[in-house]
Amino acid sequence: MRPLLIAPSILSADFGDLRADVSAMMEAGADWVHIDVMDGHFVPNISFGAPIIKAIRSATPKLFDTHLMIAPADPYLKDFADAGSDLISVHLEAGPHIHRSLQAIRALGKKSGVVICPGTPASAVAPVIDMVDLVLCMSVNPGFGGQSFIPSVLDTIAGVRAIIGDRPIDLEIDGGVTPENAASIVKAGANVLVAGSAAFKGGRSQYAANVAAIRKTALSAR
Ligand code: DX5
Ligand code: ZN
């Protein structure tokens, strides 16, 4: 069984003091740094790009999990690799050549991930499953933090889990994750939980409690 990991989304962090905030969250017990890159084209919102990732790279040695919500993605993959991403995920819906994008990420020496939106079936990842280290299932429509979890995605998670089989591939879920729904998400087969609002709410003094609360209910389902 893959380890259960909590990946706070820095979209909900304090952008005015980002490096320190990322550092505080990781010291509070989080496992990965989830980094949401948005272009105002593939998704209806703009966040930040590679220079910001480079600026926070020294905040923690933990894994930088870069979720690209950009189209096209291929021209920028090297920038995101050079900025310090350890894992780079691209949306299956963001372009016509997902196979090429995944090849390019691995050629840069990085772990690769494929992302599917809530309206995309689990079966869509099957043709590229041996090219990825991670499958990310969106449980909200990408673009904004603080949205509600879409329950039909539980079936998608179970479908992806079946496709993964016993391959050493992580299954990540992103959007609307809370301590209340973490158990059902893990029961469906996910092992990496992204959390933005639920991880960062209440400020730095609450980070450890927030991460622990998600982890506790998530682990109860294993
Ligand atoms: C949505 C992003 C998510 C989001 C998660 O486009 O990919 O990572 O910020 O935030 P919450 O947990 O608040 O839904
Ligand atoms: Zn994300």
Side-chain angles (χ1 to χ4, degrees):
M1 199 186 278
R2 307 288 297 164
L4 192 287
L5 303 172
I6 311 294
S9 162
I10 62 167
L11 198 58
S12 296
D14 177 0
F15 282 7
D17 195 12
L18 191 55
R19 193 176 165 284
D21 216 26
V22 171
S23 176
M25 177 55 81
M26 303 323 284
E27 276 165 25
D31 300 298
W32 288 2
V33 183
H34 185 80
I35 300 171
D36 286 310
V37 178
M38 304 177 177
D39 67 352
H41 168 70
F42 176 64
V43 291
N45 194 15
I46 297 175
S47 60
F48 50 76
I52 302 295
I53 299 176
K54 192 172 176 201
I56 60 168
R57 181 59 273 194
S58 59
T60 174
K62 292 185 180 181
L63 184 140
F64 269 28
D65 165 27
T66 299
H67 173 194
L68 295 182
M69 287 162 272
I70 65 174
D74 292 11
Y76 306 101
L77 295 174
K78 187 171 185 305
D79 287 351
F80 287 104
D82 290 348
S85 306
D86 299 297
L87 186 161
I88 300 174
S89 298
V90 285
H91 269 263
L92 196 136
E93 305 88 355
H97 304 298
I98 187 66
H99 192 282
R100 175 181 289 150
S101 303
L102 296 169
Q103 258 178 343
I105 294 167
R106 285 205 166 160
L108 288 163
K110 302 299 176 183
K111 292 185 175 185
S112 64
V114 63
V115 193
I116 54 173
C117 287
T120 299
S123 58
V125 304
V128 293
I129 199 69
D130 287 314
M131 304 186 66
V132 299
D133 300 287
L134 172 138
V135 178
L136 168 51
C137 293
M138 291 305 302
S139 40
V140 296
N141 291 302
F144 303 94
Q147 305 180 79
S148 298
F149 185 87
I150 298 170
S152 66
V153 173
L154 291 172
D155 291 337
T156 311
I157 299 170
V160 171
R161 173 48 60 201
I163 291 165
I164 289 174
D166 56 13
R167 293 173 177 85
I169 295 175
D170 289 307
L171 175 41
E172 182 175 51
I173 186 87
D174 183 5
V177 174
T178 64
E180 289 69 39
N181 60 24
S184 58
I185 292 166
V186 169
K187 201 173 267 176
N191 72 294
V192 185
L193 305 186
V194 175
S197 9
F200 284 92
K201 72 166 190 223
R204 286 184 198 167
S205 64
Q206 296 306 304
Y207 293 173
N210 293 345
V211 171
I214 300 167
R215 196 187 300 281
K216 186 174 173 214
T217 49
L219 285 173
S220 74
R222 293 198 129 190

